[in-house]
């Protein structure tokens, strides 16, 4: 019995809601017709005393327009937008804003500093499509040398991700602070890491497989596999005497890289096994700028070096279609 009352109650509520909806729709239609009638009356031609323009003709126009204008009549007046536009010429005739100038003042010196010439480049630095190219060679050589100064010994390798180089070319001529910022805009820190030969080989193979390798201190040969993925076929390092050596899986090698590679995860998860990554307290961008300044102080220029450190198909931009 209690259930039957509940069902009846629900049915009554449903009927009431339906009635309210129908009443609202009828009212909206009435309002729409009323508004249309007023609009149509304004649009009707003025009647003459001679009887032209019978009453039934405007009435038919009202009925025809009422359904089309019902929705428009229901729009509240406040929903209409009154927009105006104007044009003003922006030139030197507009006075400077003193408050804005004051806010920008501390940054002006930093912006000007970007145009400071710190060295001279001979040749064009080019970022390769698959590997770092001469751009990657320049950056990794700089990182390896500056990290060696911090560590007190030259690391076996400097290894970076090619995609971290954000400028494709730098033309021969003056090198400015701005150029270094454009190559390396990220706040990546340099870290020294001790890897076994097996871990080092895996890191080089992973970067090479992702077409993302830039390095200093090794010799890498690669090929294009059947799946168009790049495969390292020969990995050697340059020993203390300058001779090429095979990577010993059981030996420990000190390398320098960026914190991004150590924490990026995915295919690089195995690097989380490394217990000790030693921050050098040096951003990669600052290391490269210091390298250029040191060369300039010694009366040397920066050379765009293309050597055999990485060899394989499609190294430079445009070689692979």
């Amino acid at each position: 019995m209690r259930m039957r009352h509940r069902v009846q109650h629900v049915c009554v509520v449903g009927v009431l809601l339906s009635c309210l909806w129908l009443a609202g729709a009828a009212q909206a239609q009435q309002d729409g017709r009323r508004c249309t009638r007023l609009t149509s009356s304004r649009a009707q031609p003025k009647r003459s005393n001679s009887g032209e323009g019978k009453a039934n003709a405007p009435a038919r126009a009202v009925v025809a327009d009422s359904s089309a204008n019902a929705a428009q009549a229901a729009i509240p007046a406040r929903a209409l937008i009154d927009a105006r536009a104007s044009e003003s010429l922006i030139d030197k005739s507009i006075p400077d804003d003193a408050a804005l100038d004051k806010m920008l003042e501390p940054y002006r010196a930093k912006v000007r500093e970007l145009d400071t010439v710190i060295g001279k480049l001979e040749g064009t630095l080019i970022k390769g499509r698959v590997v770092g190219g001469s751009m990657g060679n320049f950056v990794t050589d700089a990182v390896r040398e500056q990290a060696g100064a911090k560590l007190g010994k030259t690391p076996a390798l400097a290894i970076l991700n090619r995609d971290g180089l954000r400028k494709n070319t730098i033309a021969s001529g003056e090198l400015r602070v701005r150029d270094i910022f454009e190559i390396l805009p990220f706040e990546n820190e340099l870290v020294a890491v001790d890897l076994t030969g097996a871990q080092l080989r895996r890191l080089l193979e992973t970067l090479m497989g992702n077409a993302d390798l830039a390095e200093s201190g090794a010799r890498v040969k690669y090929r294009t596999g059947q799946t168009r993925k790049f495969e390292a076929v020969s990995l050697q390092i340059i020993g203390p005497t300058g001779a090429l050596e095979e990577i010993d899986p059981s030996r420990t090698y000190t390398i320098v890289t960026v914190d991004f590679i150590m924490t990026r995860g995915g295919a690089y998860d195995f690097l989380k096994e490394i217990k000790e990554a030693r921050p050098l307290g040096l951003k990669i961008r600052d290391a490269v700028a210091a390298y250029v300044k040191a060369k300039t102080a010694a009366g040397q220029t920066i050379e765009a070096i293309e050597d055999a450190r990485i060899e394989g198909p499609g190294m430079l931009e445009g070689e692979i279609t």
Side-chain angles (χ1 to χ4, degrees):
M1 182 68 72
R2 197 175 293 173
M3 179 61 72
R4 185 183 303 165
H5 287 168
R6 187 174 301 164
V7 171
Q8 290 175 348
H9 178 71
V10 171
C11 292
V12 170
V13 171
V15 171
L16 287 174
L17 289 174
S18 299
C19 292
L20 288 172
W21 182 85
L22 290 172
Q27 184 64 40
Q29 189 174 12
Q30 265 190 349
D31 293 343
R33 285 178 179 164
R34 189 179 302 119
C35 292
T36 305
R37 197 170 291 120
L38 291 172
T39 303
S40 299
S41 66
R42 287 196 296 270
Q44 293 169 8
K46 186 176 181 180
R47 296 177 183 172
S48 65
N49 293 331
S50 61
E52 293 178 3
K54 299 298 181 180
N56 61 344
R60 283 196 299 270
V62 169
V63 173
D65 291 341
S66 63
S67 60
N69 293 327
Q72 182 178 356
I75 300 175
R78 64 178 177 275
L80 301 178
I81 299 174
D82 182 14
R84 293 178 175 84
S86 62
E87 293 184 0
S88 297
L89 181 63
I90 307 298
D91 58 17
K92 293 182 178 180
S93 65
I94 299 177
D96 292 340
D97 187 320
L100 182 60
D101 285 343
K102 184 177 181 180
M103 182 186 73
L104 295 176
E105 187 57 38
Y107 303 99
R108 285 198 170 100
K110 293 182 179 180
V111 173
R112 291 192 207 98
E113 185 183 344
L114 294 175
D115 289 322
T116 303
V117 176
I118 57 174
K120 184 178 180 181
L121 171 66
E122 292 186 3
T124 301
L125 293 176
I126 301 174
K127 175 184 172 181
R129 179 177 181 181
V130 176
V131 297
S134 57
M135 182 82 74
N137 295 347
F138 160 61
V139 173
T140 53
D141 286 347
V143 165
R144 191 177 180 211
E145 182 172 307
Q146 291 297 305
K150 282 277 188 178
L151 293 169
K153 64 175 183 178
T154 302
L157 285 89
I159 299 176
L160 301 173
N161 57 309
R162 166 197 166 277
D163 284 346
L165 309 174
R166 308 307 286 184
K167 191 173 178 69
N168 290 330
T169 61
I170 294 182
S172 180
E174 294 178 333
L175 271 178
R176 302 174 185 272
V177 175
R178 181 184 303 278
D179 295 317
I180 310 303
F181 267 82
E182 290 176 351
I183 300 172
L184 303 163
F186 306 117
E187 300 298 308
N188 295 133
E189 298 277 348
L190 294 180
V191 293
V193 185
D194 293 330
L195 301 179
T196 66
Q199 291 169 329
L200 174 58
R201 188 177 186 90
R202 186 173 177 183
L203 176 58
L204 290 169
E205 288 174 341
T206 302
L207 285 163
M208 190 66 253
N210 291 329
D212 200 21
L213 177 62
E215 58 85 13
S216 174
R219 291 290 180 266
V220 178
K221 292 183 180 180
Y222 67 92
R223 67 185 176 194
T224 305
Q226 293 182 352
T227 61
R228 299 285 292 171
K229 188 177 179 69
F230 298 103
E231 301 172 349
V233 294
S234 175
L235 295 171
Q236 297 175 306
I237 65 168
I238 303 172
T241 63
L244 291 177
E245 301 176 357
E246 297 296 327
I247 297 175
D248 184 347
S250 60
R251 182 179 161 188
T252 298
Y253 298 89
T254 299
I255 72 159
V256 62
T257 186
V258 285
D259 50 3
F260 169 72
I261 288 180
M262 298 301 298
T263 59
R264 69 188 296 183
Y268 301 85
D269 267 347
F270 69 95
L271 292 173
K272 294 179 181 178
E273 302 169 6
I274 310 302
K275 302 300 181 184
E276 185 179 358
R278 305 183 297 281
L280 299 183
L282 188 63
K283 287 184 173 62
I284 183 172
R285 179 173 57 240
D286 295 338
V288 174
Y291 171 81
V292 174
K293 292 175 182 178
K295 291 288 186 184
T296 302
Q300 301 174 12
T301 58
I302 302 299
E303 296 182 11
I305 299 174
E306 273 293 352
D307 53 23
R309 69 181 70 184
I310 305 178
E311 293 182 292
M315 288 192 299
L316 296 180
E317 197 72 39
E319 289 186 11
I320 293 180
T321 57

